[in-house]
Amino acid sequence: MTSSPAAGEAFQNARATLDTAAGTVTYYRLGSLIDSGYRQVEQLPMTLKILLENLLRNVGNGVVRDAEVQELARWSPTSTEQHEFPFYPARVLLQDFTGVPAAVDLAAMRSAMARLGGDPKRINPLVPADLVIDHSVQVDYFGTADAFAMNVEREYERNQERYALLRWTQEAFENFRVVPPGRGIVHQVNLEYLASVVHRNKDVVYPDSLVGTDSHTTMVNGLGVLGWGVGGIEAEAVLLGQPLYLLTPEVVGFRFTGQLPEGATATDLVLTVTQILRKRGVVGKFVEFTGAGLSQLGLADRATISNMCPEYGATAALFPVDDETLRYLRLTGRDPKQIDLVERYAKEQGLFRTDDGGEPIFNDMLELDLGTVLPSLAGPRRPQDRVTLAEVANSIRVAFPDQFAAAANGHGGGAITLVDKDAGTVTQLPVGNKSAGVEIEIGGRKATLHHGSVTIAAITSCTNTSNPLVMLGAGLVAKKAVEKGLSVNPSVKTSLAPGSRVVTDYLKRAGLLPYLEALQFHVVGYGCTTCIGNSGPLPDAVAEAVQDNGLVVAAVLSGNRNFEARIHPQVRASYLASPPLVVAFALAGTVDTDLTQDPIGNDRNGSPVYLKDLWPTHQEVREAMQQALGPDLFQQEYAEVFNGDEHWQALPLPERGDLYEWDPNSTYVQEPPFFKGLSPTPGPLVDIEAARVLVQLSDSITTDHISPAGSIPKDAPAGRYLLEHGVPLREFNSYGARRGNHEVMMRGTFGNVRLRNELVPGREGDWTLKMPADWTIDPQGEVQRIYDASMEYQSEGVPLVAVAGKEYGSGSSRDWAAKGTLLLGIRAVIAESYERIHRSNLVGMGVLPLQFMPGESRQSLGLTGREMFSVSGIAEGLTPGKVLTVRCKRGDGTEFSFQARCRIDTPIEIEYYRHGGILPYVLRLLLGEPQTVST
């Protein structure tokens, strides 16, 4: 390896100028490092080059040191040494579910700053921020031409108070833009309009980069823009000028060769990639795509793959800038001067990929021949559980064997061979006859429901509605189906929720929207719907049949998440699929079928129609795209993206002021308690003594299990709270809509109806065992709601812990999964492993994440959850990865102990924990307390 230059020497000639169509700009040359002896920079992954440029540009700002530039410039795929370094994203992206809490926290910080005698205006976004309102529309109405208008009406009825808060935020804070409801999904708007690829701040240009308060922020990686999801608390710190601290990344290369075969879509490809990467294990790593096969993938295909980065667990998944990037920028109507800047800057910095260019060096390399991709779905519970089209029926029967056993009425249906690939088992299972179904009537039409019946078919989400190829493919399937006389079963709730209005425009121009509407796929909204649980209620007859008969019914959606109970509490099985397959399964009416062989329905003459009869060729889809898609559609729709409709314009604007006026009677927005009573300086660290277990959980507990989401049950603690405050059931809205009220959110934490707390075996939902202060009074404890038990424990002064298995906190980047945990009194979580974002969020809220030592778990240690826990070694001082001692006391008086590793991973996180979280840390920093941060 080449010897390193002296500190500072490599950076003297970094600042340079570049002539572009937009004028002469200043940039920081990565080539200056190569000239100064860091030859390996030329072969770095594009991901690392972007991070390195960020350091090079900010070195000497009082935070970034010469040594950090040198350490990253010396990166080697064989080195095991990790260093911490700061990263300054160019901008922040918010959606309204996670953006409202951020707005509330910023408003609360202003109030706290005023109470502490500081200037509230110091709490202000210092980097550009965009908030897209896209998570609040719900599919209440569907299958009619006026579904969209009626859903918008209901959306404003439910969310007027939240939206008024966001209008205040837009007025009160500088550098903050809001995209009103009904314009599109945040990630698709980012891809099609907000992302610049090369960011310009006055005359200085650098790679566009961002963090977002949604895990699917990674979608923009498909455009060559490095960005990923963080918790709202991290995003708020970035907004306030704080860097994001990273450890030296591990970058996994993923090489594509060949091209997709006929019949395969980008959705099939992304499900294949997700399965491969999840199996390899890339949690916390960066993925970067390479290989000549990239030239066979359109930008929308790339964005589809990058979008599902959270599903395979990586931090980011970057497609480098190349000719396809430039083509897409032209297609979406970007300024020609900006496109010229992107091309010139990327090529000058060695950030432009070509097929014949040298391949970067990576820590690891995976490879996929695109020609091997098969039509696939993922389900019935997890996005990484890919099944081929032929295996769908087998997968739901494996997942729910009891329900698919011999029918209760005695009508046998033979047997089926169940193959569980993960377990390596083959089982012969008797199955019931499909004739033993439940008959219902909807709108004068009769239908029969069975186990496996499709009750929700939704073309939705940023993952796929951003891709014209699969959306036009869905329209072509619908066209052929209508022409053959096929129709959708009335028990199927259909919906079309595009990620931007451009989708509707090109479907109309292609003449395909009428065919989708003929199958009841009417536009229901422009936002996240089914994919985040905003699927709305099932028709009454369907809901009653499912409830009364214990039916396992299915949802098929073109989304990215299908965790248990996420899509709809009554829908047990959920499958991710391409939009054309969503249409196909809506027509079939069941997932208990093999569409590669079984007919999808019958035509007007009673003859069977097969999927192959409806499926368009690649050429048909390309011709439709050439006819329908052009820059004018994007320019037209995004010209007024910030204006809003008449509902938005009619919202009452509060008086402009530095401080938000909290309404004590509001059930939507309340000042959170995170800053109340905050002292100007933090207190000393203390050990955890005599803590009780509030929840003990198994593997793969997601933020969907922890964070409140979906509808609010009237008999749950949050429902009781709303009823007590005069809110009628019809106006409950969803948890997501009430994220600005901590009273609602902490009552719904761990409230998933499918949560299984091992303290109360045999029960599902938000239940736990409340142990008495004196074991001798009641050694068995009392079964209570988790919230109620928490409040009792806190009134008794008893600290709490949570115990869990592997992959704790996987899923969306929900900051309320950490905020709710804190407000329930949980001081520490002890798990076998964590997903990246949730671990970071726990630290950001001042909750201590501990990890069992290798080979140990709650089972191996014999933990029942009834023990009393004490954690020592905190008060004497924490360091990243420090091993702490956990002492346990059983009810019979016996004691034992085990060790656990502190998963505070970086020195800056120690500071966050010492201050009680990242926001108190930033608030004290802005107040003027001198800070000492170890690096």
Side-chain angles (χ1 to χ4, degrees):
M1 182 177 291
T2 308
S3 61
S4 302
E9 179 183 331
F11 320 131
Q12 293 176 0
N13 300 316
R15 189 179 175 96
T17 58
L18 181 67
D19 294 329
T20 75
T24 301
V25 295
T26 299
Y27 73 109
Y28 288 79
R29 290 181 60 241
L30 288 172
S32 67
L33 294 171
I34 299 172
D35 296 342
S36 298
Y38 295 95
R39 300 294 181 187
Q40 58 270 42
V41 168
E42 195 167 6
Q43 290 185 283
L44 289 180
M46 302 295 189
T47 302
L48 289 181
K49 286 184 179 180
I50 293 171
L51 296 175
L52 183 58
E53 186 280 339
N54 197 281
L55 289 174
L56 185 63
R57 175 166 33 92
N58 288 292
V59 69
N61 68 350
V63 176
V64 181
R65 300 175 294 115
D66 288 353
E68 290 161 335
V69 181
Q70 293 173 318
E71 287 160 357
L72 193 58
R74 289 195 298 263
W75 180 88
S76 167
T78 58
S79 174
T80 58
E81 187 177 3
Q82 285 196 317
H83 303 279
E84 182 192 34
F85 63 93
F87 172 59
Y88 290 88
R91 56 193 177 95
V92 174
L93 185 67
L94 310 166
Q95 42 97 328
D96 58 307
F97 268 20
T98 50
V100 164
V104 169
D105 286 348
L106 289 171
M109 289 179 73
R110 280 197 167 185
S111 297
M113 178 68 83
R115 287 194 295 268
L116 291 169
D119 181 3
K121 287 186 178 180
R122 297 189 70 182
I123 308 296
N124 197 67
L126 299 178
V127 300
D130 292 292
L131 186 150
V132 180
I133 301 176
D134 68 339
H135 272 50
S136 299
V137 61
Q138 179 172 300
V139 187
D140 291 293
Y141 304 97
F142 69 99
T144 63
D146 55 358
F148 171 65
M150 292 191 294
N151 285 328
V152 168
E153 192 77 30
R154 288 290 290 126
E155 178 183 356
Y156 274 92
E157 286 177 15
R158 292 184 177 113
N159 299 291
Q160 180 169 334
E161 192 174 341
R162 297 171 60 242
Y163 292 171
L165 165 71
L166 294 177
R167 289 293 300 271
W168 172 84
T169 304
Q170 189 175 31
E171 294 293 320
F173 294 111
E174 299 177 359
N175 226 7
F176 196 93
R177 299 186 298 185
V178 175
V179 176
R183 304 305 306 187
I185 298 175
V186 57
H187 310 304
Q188 193 162 339
V189 173
N190 190 26
L191 185 77
E192 295 177 352
Y193 179 72
L194 298 176
S196 61
V197 185
V198 173
H199 190 84
R200 183 167 182 168
N201 184 3
K202 297 180 181 177
D203 68 332
V204 178
V205 298
Y206 42 91
D208 186 11
S209 63
L210 71 152
V211 290
T213 56
D214 189 287
S215 54
H216 294 100
T217 300
T218 54
M219 181 174 180
V220 79
N221 294 171
L223 192 63
V225 176
L226 186 61
W228 59 87
V230 296
I233 43 189
E234 285 181 297
E236 291 163 32
V238 173
L239 280 175
L240 296 169
Q242 299 302 299
L244 198 66
Y245 282 85
L246 308 175
L247 291 172
T248 305
E250 184 174 342
V251 185
V252 177
F254 197 118
R255 183 186 296 124
F256 286 124
T257 60
Q259 60 183 6
L260 288 174
E262 286 288 345
T265 68
T267 312
D268 306 319
L269 172 58
V270 72
L271 295 178
T272 303
V273 170
T274 298
Q275 185 182 47
I276 292 171
L277 287 170
R278 177 60 76 170
K279 184 176 181 180
R280 176 59 66 95
V282 292
V283 172
K285 301 176 184 178
F286 288 74
V287 172
E288 183 170 311
F289 297 98
T290 186
L294 294 188
S295 295
Q296 303 300 319
L297 294 177
L299 200 291
D301 294 344
R302 301 176 184 190
T304 305
I305 296 169
S306 291
N307 178 286
M308 285 189 68
C309 179
E311 279 64 53
Y312 42 85
T315 301
L318 186 72
F319 285 85
V321 175
D322 62 6
D323 286 329
E324 174 60 20
T325 312
L326 304 178
R327 188 202 66 79
Y328 183 80
L329 293 175
R330 289 190 286 269
L331 172 67
T332 50
R334 263 55 170 229
D335 186 341
K337 292 181 180 179
Q338 178 66 23
I339 299 171
D340 178 76
L341 172 63
V342 170
E343 181 175 10
R344 291 177 182 272
Y345 177 82
K347 288 180 175 178
E348 181 66 27
Q349 289 281 59
L351 293 170
F352 197 91
R353 186 202 72 86
T354 60
D355 283 351
D356 54 2
E359 192 170 68
I361 53 175
F362 299 102
N363 293 96
D364 192 10
M365 176 66 79
L366 299 170
E367 187 166 348
L368 175 65
D369 179 355
L370 297 173
T372 63
V373 173
L374 298 172
S376 304
L377 293 86
R381 295 191 181 100
R382 300 188 306 176
Q384 64 263 36
D385 294 336
R386 184 183 68 89
V387 292
T388 65
L389 186 57
E391 296 173 327
V392 174
N394 182 71
S395 70
I396 191 171
R397 289 171 176 268
V398 167
F400 302 96
D402 294 341
Q403 288 83 353
F404 282 90
N409 62 7
H411 293 288
I416 188 171
T417 302
L418 301 184
V419 181
D420 189 334
K421 294 181 178 179
D422 291 334
T425 60
V426 178
T427 307
Q428 290 290 323
L429 181 74
V431 294
N433 194 312
K434 283 188 179 180
S435 63
V438 180
E439 290 190 358
I440 60 172
E441 184 174 321
I442 299 178
R445 297 176 63 192
K446 291 186 177 181
T448 304
L449 288 174
H450 311 270
H451 294 308
S453 289
V454 174
T455 56
I456 292 176
I459 301 174
T460 179
S461 96
C462 49
T463 315
N464 286 288
T465 65
S466 64
N467 194 327
L469 293 174
V470 293
M471 294 301 292
L472 291 167
L476 289 168
V477 169
K479 179 176 185 293
K480 295 183 180 185
V482 171
E483 290 171 346
K484 290 182 179 294
L486 300 183
S487 62
V488 172
N489 190 303
S491 62
V492 181
K493 183 172 185 176
T494 49
S495 60
L496 172 61
S500 80
R501 288 177 172 267
V502 175
V503 175
T504 309
D505 293 339
Y506 65 66
L507 284 172
K508 287 180 179 177
R509 185 180 285 183
L512 297 176
L513 188 61
Y515 294 102
L516 286 164
E517 292 176 338
L519 298 180
Q520 283 76 56
F521 282 97
H522 291 79
V523 172
V524 297
Y526 296 93
C528 296
T529 54
T530 308
C531 196
I532 60 165
N534 286 358
S535 52
L538 296 176
D540 290 342
V542 175
E544 291 172 8
V546 172
Q547 182 69 32
D548 295 345
N549 297 276
L551 294 177
V552 174
V553 293
V556 182
L557 64 150
S558 63
N560 46 38
R561 292 280 164 83
N562 58 337
F563 298 124
E564 195 170 20
R566 179 185 178 97
I567 305 306
H568 191 283
Q570 288 185 294
V571 176
R572 300 291 301 275
S574 298
Y575 287 88
L576 307 181
S578 66
L581 282 180
V582 172
V583 176
F585 276 100
L587 292 166
T590 180
V591 295
D592 189 20
T593 184
D594 178 1
L595 290 187
T596 66
Q597 299 184 41
D598 299 337
I600 203 169
N602 295 318
D603 64 15
R604 293 185 182 89
N605 300 319
S607 300
V609 177
Y610 296 87
L611 183 60
K612 63 183 179 181
D613 302 324
L614 307 180
W615 203 262
T617 64
H618 285 177
Q619 183 61 30
E620 288 177 300
V621 176
R622 282 193 291 268
E623 288 175 357
M625 186 170 172
Q626 290 169 0
Q627 169 195 343
L629 207 58
D632 60 311
L633 297 182
F634 293 91
Q635 292 167 339
Q636 170 187 312
E637 290 295 351
Y638 284 109
E640 301 178 347
V641 70
F642 298 109
N643 293 347
D645 61 12
E646 67 276 10
H647 297 283
W648 182 259
Q649 296 297 333
L651 282 173
L653 271 176
E655 294 183 9
R656 184 180 176 90
D658 299 334
L659 297 176
Y660 184 74
E661 296 178 3
W662 304 101
D663 178 2
N665 297 315
S666 172
T667 57
Y668 274 98
V669 178
Q670 285 292 320
E671 183 176 5
F674 307 132
F675 309 105
K676 291 182 178 179
L678 187 73
S679 62
T681 58
L685 292 175
V686 295
D687 291 339
I688 299 172
E689 298 289 347
R692 289 291 193 177
V693 177
L694 187 62
V695 289
Q696 181 160 299
L697 306 165
S698 61
D699 297 343
S700 298
I701 295 299
T702 71
T703 51
D704 288 87
H705 290 102
I706 308 168
S707 178
S711 60
I712 303 174
K714 65 179 180 180
D715 58 345
R720 297 200 309 262
Y721 167 86
L722 292 175
L723 291 172
E724 290 166 2
H725 284 75
V727 179
L729 183 61
R730 185 178 182 273
E731 297 178 13
F732 269 19
N733 212 325
S734 66
Y735 279 113
R738 294 188 181 271
R739 285 190 182 191
N741 185 345
H742 65 280
E743 295 286 358
V744 171
M745 297 302 286
M746 69 177 178
R747 284 168 169 80
T749 302
F750 293 110
N752 188 294
V753 295
R754 300 297 175 209
L755 185 78
R756 297 177 183 89
N757 186 356
E758 293 174 355
L759 282 167
V760 281
R763 299 196 70 161
E764 290 184 328
D766 61 331
W767 300 99
T768 191
L769 201 61
K770 166 63 175 64
M771 301 301 296
D774 185 350
W775 260 321
T776 61
I777 297 175
D778 180 11
Q780 300 304 315
E782 179 185 356
V783 175
Q784 293 186 6
R785 293 275 191 177
I786 287 174
Y787 168 78
D788 296 332
S790 164
M791 293 300 104
E792 282 196 29
Y793 277 129
Q794 292 191 59
S795 68
E796 296 167 359
V798 176
L800 299 171
V801 298
V803 180
K806 301 181 182 70
E807 296 180 341
Y808 183 73
S810 57
S812 301
S813 57
R814 289 181 170 163
D815 56 343
W816 264 110
K819 289 179 177 178
T821 296
L822 173 71
L823 293 181
L824 288 179
I826 294 175
R827 296 271 303 280
V829 177
I830 312 172
E832 291 181 62
S833 63
Y834 295 87
E835 286 280 63
R836 176 185 61 87
I837 296 176
H838 186 59
R839 183 209 63 80
S840 175
N841 282 348
L842 288 174
V843 178
M845 290 309 300
V847 177
L848 183 66
L850 300 175
Q851 189 161 318
F852 290 110
M853 301 304 287
E856 293 187 344
S857 65
R858 69 194 189 286
Q859 298 101 324
S860 69
L861 294 168
L863 299 179
T864 66
R866 296 169 182 258
E867 299 86 359
M868 191 177 286
F869 287 72
S870 296
V871 183
S872 59
I874 302 172
E876 65 188 38
L878 289 175
T879 56
K882 182 179 180 180
V883 175
L884 303 176
T885 299
V886 182
R887 305 188 314 278
C888 299
K889 183 178 181 180
R890 299 188 181 97
D892 60 7
T894 60
E895 296 187 18
F896 65 99
S897 64
F898 62 91
Q899 291 185 317
R901 187 172 299 281
C902 167
R903 281 302 313 276
I904 297 181
D905 292 349
T906 64
I908 189 62
E909 287 186 338
I910 298 291
E911 290 298 305
Y912 296 158
Y913 182 74
R914 186 173 71 88
H915 281 260
I918 193 171
L919 295 183
Y921 167 81
V922 172
L923 183 60
R924 289 180 175 122
L925 187 71
L926 294 175
L927 185 64
E929 182 207 358
Q931 303 293 324
T932 302
V933 180
S934 302
T935 57

